[in-house]
Amino acid sequence: MWSYYCPDCMGAGCESCDGKGEIISKRCPNSFDASNVMPLFQAFAFFNNHKILPNVGGFCDQSDNFHKVINLASKVENLVEAEKQKRKKVNRGRN
């Protein structure tokens, strides 16, 4: 068994997930074939982070390595931002 955030409430709790914020599945996540929808998720993530829509010859037509680098850079950027926020809280607590 494995669980994932409820897509209806994104973990907040709702009727779809009986207020738990997650869905329990007995099906192995590796059994899902997401290869046909992954480009859509990647395009959405790119748009969401950079406000650029995919176009012919653009984001969707780039190599897998390009997508991996963009995803890695985005994760690093998020980690740096989280560390900055953490340090701000620590510094505020010292004053």
Side-chain angles (χ1 to χ4, degrees):
M1 288 195 324
W2 63 284
S3 65
Y4 56 95
Y5 283 117
C6 174
D8 293 332
C9 67
M10 296 305 293
C14 67
E15 290 180 17
S16 297
C17 62
D18 295 326
K20 296 176 185 171
E22 64 182 7
I23 305 292
I24 305 296
S25 178
K26 294 181 181 177
R27 184 174 171 186
C28 175
N30 291 329
S31 68
F32 294 104
D33 178 17
S35 61
N36 58 342
V37 295
M38 285 311 294
L40 297 173
F41 284 109
Q42 291 171 336
F44 172 75
F46 192 77
F47 170 74
N48 197 36
N49 291 329
H50 305 287
K51 305 302 181 226
I52 299 171
L53 291 171
N55 60 350
V56 177
F59 181 76
C60 290
D61 291 336
Q62 300 302 316
S63 69
D64 286 340
N65 285 336
F66 174 81
H67 291 276
K68 288 176 184 176
V69 168
I70 292 294
N71 290 335
L72 176 62
S74 180
K75 288 176 185 177
V76 169
E77 180 182 40
N78 290 338
L79 289 171
V80 168
E81 187 59 35
E83 184 64 25
K84 285 180 183 177
Q85 295 302 320
K86 184 177 160 184
R87 289 181 183 196
K88 279 184 184 178
K89 286 182 183 179
V90 169
N91 288 335
R92 275 190 243 141
R94 291 181 183 169
N95 295 334

